[in-house]
Amino acid sequence: VRRRQYTAAEYTEHILKGDITVLSQAVTLVESNLPDHQILAQEVIEKCLPYAGSSVRVGITGVPGSGKSTSIDAFGLHVLKKGGKLAVLAIDPSSELSKGSILGDKTRMEKLSVADNAFIRPSPSAGSLGGVARKTRETIVLCEAAGFDNIFVETVGVGQSETAVHSMVDFFLLIQLAGTGDELQGIKRGIMEMADGIVINKADGSNIEKAKLAQAHFRNALHLFPPTPSGWIPQVLTYSGYYEIGIGEVWNMIDEYIAFVKKNGYFEHKRQEQAKYWMLETINDQLKSHFYQNSEIVSLLQEKENRVLHSIQSPFTAAKEVLDFYFGKIL
Amino acid sequence: VRRRQYTAAEYTEHILKGDITVLSQAVTLVESNLPDHQILAQEVIEKCLPYAGSSVRVGITGVPGSGKSTSIDAFGLHVLKKGGKLAVLAIDPSSELSKGSILGDKTRMEKLSVADNAFIRPSPSAGSLGGVARKTRETIVLCEAAGFDNIFVETVGVGQSETAVHSMVDFFLLIQLAGTGDELQGIKRGIMEMADGIVINKADGSNIEKAKLAQAHFRNALHLFPPTPSGWIPQVLTYSGYYEIGIGEVWNMIDEYIAFVKKNGYFEHKRQEQAKYWMLETINDQLKSHFYQNSEIVSLLQEKENRVLHSIQSPFTAAKEVLDFYFGKIL
């Protein structure tokens, strides 16, 4: 016989007790696109909300090859050694396109995947980036209610997902490699300026000199950037995820940042801005998908785009005519 | 007696002849928010469209104090010396907030303002940034139809307007000053990565050394950035707008860029992407304003925001309830 579905109250009760199995089932519910599941998931989230918010949320990005998984393994073990519980979530927009997620395999983190007090969850795979990111944002609430006081949100640094991650974490960490002067090859433009800390991996053995040089370059570059809204000056450190060198220093930086922004009020301010952001972002997403997913609009847009690209019509009158059709006929 | 209003055909005829007085009147029409004016303006733009597109469009940004006006004066005279016609447009979002525009005074450009073949137009002041930027984008069409083969779009580098400007120009120029290591103080984060060229002003007299040092710093910083989508490597040059030193070199860089992207196809590709961008941007703007300007939505949002900020409700259910109201009751 199939297990009876829990009620929202039952889910919440178990989550608040820290029951990982039920937490996991609730996250599956959040990730489901079935309307019944969505309604139940939203109820669970609402009930968990008063118990959420007390974790430190760290976004971690770096291109494939930067040693991200090994690093998260090392960072995670370091965090767990100090006590508490760690959840590792992921946002990987490529999972939708390639049907195979770079960040989908839990066993990438060899040590964390068998550690007590660690909860690893691959990227949700269905729907738009907005949808995927929203599910991760909701999963954070559930994890926090379940007593996870450290949340990592992992992403790949090559797409739009960093803005979404940046909008749900307290600290944004960029993993880099020392290279040949093309250090940021592969990383999307704009991401460097989001970073609260840049850490250069594989600073071990004969690679130490190169890593130190890269560190100096990045420090100079960051020096030219405008001040961050938090007042924090982004740090550049070197470490080795594989040999577990400098892990403590990286984490001290994050602790220092959290203390700094809690003191100057930016921590709370940013959390509130993020909550507002997600409300408005959800609204804007839905306004757009209601429009762009309408089949009549799709074909009309196609026709107008052709006219615009051939300079037969201005972008503005084309837009106006599609909108007139939408507001006049469809709604 | 008041002059009879031209028809769209008459406006177009005069604009195509290069009549500056009528061009100026047509731009006023574009900037007007009166529905009748808007309809007529859109007609004129449609008629001008087949004759537009053949200018080189340069976005110029820099904070107040960077010597932007003096520089544009010098750049503009240099361009005019080579022949052709120059239009200088401006986008200044502060004009709405402060009711006084930083970029509103034509006489800031002493030489250009009395030059033949130069058309200077202050920032449109009414409406949202989206609206202001759209009007400037439309004005470009009219100017090009009137035979202006060089268009400068000026902005202040401190707000959202750079993304808009970046989306309507071929080359994006960032004016900087040599400073004390805080070179980008005042410039918004993210703008440096949009620049196709960074030029350091006031490289004259005892300031030359400092300017050269800043040049080296910026070159190192840009070196760390990911490649640009155009394949162009952004250049860093020094010059003096006031003493007219190095102006030719700055413009050679822009000419070189234009030749480079025309050859590799990026010029045309970007122009097409921009046209599509403005169509979709206009649609997204209107979808939002239809929603956010509704008075019932305004008060409901206010109520929901309070609940979200006090963690009484999740951002997602708050969004959903407002959307349900919108789609169910208002439309």
Side-chain angles (χ1 to χ4, degrees):
Chain A
V1 289
R2 240 185 118 217
R3 176 176 63 78
R4 179 183 63 84
Q5 174 109 346
Y6 288 133
T7 64
E10 285 165 341
Y11 269 114
T12 309
E13 196 193 321
H14 284 92
I15 288 171
L16 290 179
K17 281 184 193 151
D19 183 330
I20 300 286
T21 311
V22 175
L23 170 64
S24 202
Q25 288 162 356
V27 175
T28 304
L29 216 56
V30 165
E31 292 177 353
S32 164
N33 289 320
L34 294 179
D36 280 2
H37 288 177
Q38 271 305 302
I39 290 168
L40 186 55
Q42 292 304 327
E43 251 188 275
V44 177
I45 292 164
E46 292 294 309
K47 285 185 191 299
C48 285
L49 202 60
Y51 308 96
S54 56
S55 79
V56 169
R57 306 166 184 167
V58 179
I60 302 179
T61 196
V63 293
S66 59
K68 194 155 25 71
S69 305
T70 315
S71 301
I72 290 177
D73 222 16
F75 294 146
L77 284 182
H78 176 81
V79 162
L80 289 178
K81 242 180 267 161
K82 301 196 290 179
K85 290 160 68 177
L86 168 70
V88 181
L89 313 175
I91 296 182
D92 181 4
S94 71
S95 60
E96 199 203 351
L97 297 172
S98 64
K99 304 288 170 208
S101 172
I102 306 173
L103 307 180
D105 180 11
K106 287 189 192 204
T107 59
R108 289 179 301 120
M109 296 152 209
E110 286 182 16
K111 294 166 196 157
L112 275 185
S113 59
V114 295
D116 285 339
N117 295 327
F119 175 68
I120 303 178
R121 186 83 189 187
S123 177
S125 60
S128 64
L129 167 63
V132 170
R134 186 156 66 239
K135 288 169 199 297
T136 302
R137 178 65 164 69
E138 293 174 334
T139 299
I140 290 177
V141 172
L142 302 185
C143 291
E144 288 179 342
F148 286 86
D149 46 6
N150 283 286
I151 315 259
F152 292 178
V153 184
E154 182 189 2
T155 180
V156 283
V158 293
Q160 292 295 313
S161 50
E162 287 64 37
T163 311
V165 173
H166 190 250
S167 304
M168 61 177 82
V169 299
D170 305 313
F171 188 97
F172 196 69
L173 186 71
L174 172 60
I175 297 179
Q176 285 292 331
L177 288 183
T180 55
D182 294 323
E183 278 85 358
L184 279 169
Q185 195 86 32
I187 279 279
K188 220 183 147 252
R189 293 175 77 81
I191 290 177
M192 199 165 132
E193 292 205 41
M194 285 184 196
D196 300 302
I198 296 180
V199 289
I200 298 155
N201 194 7
K202 306 193 184 173
D204 47 49
S206 61
N207 212 30
I208 290 184
E209 279 310 304
K210 254 182 13 187
K212 292 280 172 204
L213 196 65
Q215 182 182 31
H217 280 153
F218 278 113
R219 278 190 179 149
N220 279 336
L222 287 180
H223 197 52
L224 294 170
F225 280 5
T228 61
S230 61
W232 168 258
I233 297 164
Q235 307 289 306
V236 184
L237 299 174
T238 64
Y239 77 106
S240 168
Y242 187 80
Y243 293 103
E244 298 184 23
I245 303 166
I247 305 295
E249 285 75 6
V250 171
W251 230 255
N252 288 347
M253 164 179 70
I254 294 175
D255 289 342
E256 200 189 310
Y257 170 88
I258 298 294
F260 178 80
V261 292
K262 281 201 170 165
K263 198 172 170 204
N264 75 7
Y266 184 77
F267 183 90
E268 190 51 32
H269 169 75
K270 188 179 180 187
R271 284 270 176 110
Q272 297 229 331
E273 288 299 311
Q274 289 177 334
K276 225 160 66 183
Y277 169 87
W278 282 102
M279 182 176 85
L280 298 178
E281 200 57 16
T282 304
I283 289 172
N284 297 341
D285 263 11
Q286 298 289 319
L287 289 177
K288 280 195 209 170
S289 59
H290 190 275
F291 179 86
Y292 288 105
Q293 286 173 11
N294 180 289
S295 62
E296 287 181 276
I297 294 291
V298 169
S299 57
L300 189 57
L301 265 182
Q302 189 66 55
E303 182 195 320
K304 289 297 176 192
E305 189 180 312
N306 278 330
R307 292 171 64 85
V308 167
L309 291 184
H310 292 90
S311 288
I312 299 166
Q313 190 167 23
S314 88
F316 306 104
T317 58
K320 191 179 177 303
E321 287 174 22
V322 184
L323 285 162
D324 284 349
F325 178 79
Y326 179 69
F327 286 121
K329 295 237 173 111
I330 292 184
L331 290 175
Chain B
V1 287
R2 240 187 117 218
R3 178 177 61 78
R4 177 183 64 85
Q5 174 109 346
Y6 288 132
T7 64
E10 286 166 341
Y11 268 114
T12 309
E13 195 193 323
H14 283 92
I15 288 172
L16 291 178
K17 281 184 192 153
D19 183 329
I20 300 286
T21 312
V22 175
L23 170 65
S24 202
Q25 288 162 356
V27 174
T28 304
L29 215 57
V30 164
E31 290 177 352
S32 164
N33 288 320
L34 294 180
D36 282 0
H37 287 178
Q38 271 304 303
I39 291 168
L40 185 56
Q42 291 305 327
E43 252 188 275
V44 176
I45 292 163
E46 292 293 309
K47 285 184 190 299
C48 285
L49 201 60
Y51 308 95
S54 57
S55 79
V56 169
R57 306 167 184 166
V58 179
I60 302 178
T61 195
V63 293
S66 59
K68 194 155 25 73
S69 306
T70 314
S71 301
I72 290 177
D73 222 16
F75 293 146
L77 284 182
H78 176 81
V79 162
L80 289 179
K81 243 180 263 161
K82 301 197 289 180
K85 291 160 68 178
L86 168 70
V88 182
L89 313 176
I91 296 183
D92 181 4
S94 71
S95 60
E96 198 201 354
L97 297 170
S98 63
K99 304 289 170 206
S101 171
I102 306 172
L103 307 179
D105 182 8
K106 286 190 196 210
T107 59
R108 290 178 300 121
M109 297 152 208
E110 285 183 16
K111 294 166 196 158
L112 275 185
S113 61
V114 295
D116 284 340
N117 295 327
F119 175 69
I120 303 177
R121 187 83 189 188
S123 178
S125 60
S128 63
L129 166 61
V132 170
R134 189 156 63 239
K135 289 171 198 296
T136 302
R137 178 64 163 69
E138 294 174 333
T139 299
I140 290 177
V141 171
L142 302 185
C143 290
E144 289 180 340
F148 286 86
D149 46 7
N150 283 283
I151 316 259
F152 293 178
V153 183
E154 182 188 2
T155 180
V156 283
V158 294
Q160 292 295 314
S161 49
E162 286 65 37
T163 310
V165 173
H166 190 251
S167 304
M168 63 176 82
V169 298
D170 305 311
F171 188 99
F172 196 69
L173 187 73
L174 173 60
I175 296 178
Q176 285 291 331
L177 287 183
T180 56
D182 294 321
E183 278 85 358
L184 279 169
Q185 194 86 33
I187 278 279
K188 221 185 146 248
R189 293 174 78 80
I191 290 177
M192 199 165 132
E193 293 206 39
M194 284 185 197
D196 299 300
I198 297 180
V199 288
I200 298 154
N201 193 9
K202 305 194 185 172
D204 46 50
S206 60
N207 212 29
I208 289 183
E209 279 311 303
K210 256 188 1 192
K212 293 281 172 200
L213 196 66
Q215 182 183 30
H217 281 153
F218 278 114
R219 278 189 179 150
N220 279 336
L222 287 180
H223 197 54
L224 293 170
F225 280 5
T228 60
S230 62
W232 168 259
I233 297 163
Q235 308 287 307
V236 185
L237 299 174
T238 64
Y239 77 105
S240 167
Y242 187 79
Y243 292 105
E244 299 186 22
I245 302 166
I247 305 296
E249 285 74 6
V250 171
W251 230 257
N252 289 345
M253 165 178 69
I254 294 175
D255 289 342
E256 200 190 312
Y257 171 87
I258 298 293
F260 178 80
V261 292
K262 282 201 168 166
K263 199 172 167 204
N264 74 8
Y266 185 76
F267 183 89
E268 189 52 31
H269 169 76
K270 188 179 182 188
R271 284 270 177 109
Q272 296 229 331
E273 287 301 310
Q274 288 177 333
K276 225 158 69 183
Y277 169 89
W278 282 102
M279 181 175 86
L280 299 178
E281 201 55 18
T282 304
I283 288 172
N284 296 342
D285 262 11
Q286 297 289 319
L287 288 178
K288 282 196 209 169
S289 60
H290 189 273
F291 179 87
Y292 289 104
Q293 285 173 11
N294 180 289
S295 62
E296 286 182 276
I297 294 292
V298 169
S299 58
L300 189 57
L301 265 181
Q302 188 66 55
E303 183 195 320
K304 291 294 175 190
E305 187 179 312
N306 277 331
R307 293 171 64 86
V308 167
L309 291 184
H310 291 90
S311 289
I312 299 166
Q313 189 166 25
S314 87
F316 306 104
T317 57
K320 189 179 177 304
E321 287 174 23
V322 183
L323 284 163
D324 285 348
F325 179 79
Y326 179 68
F327 286 121
K329 295 240 174 107
I330 291 184
L331 289 177

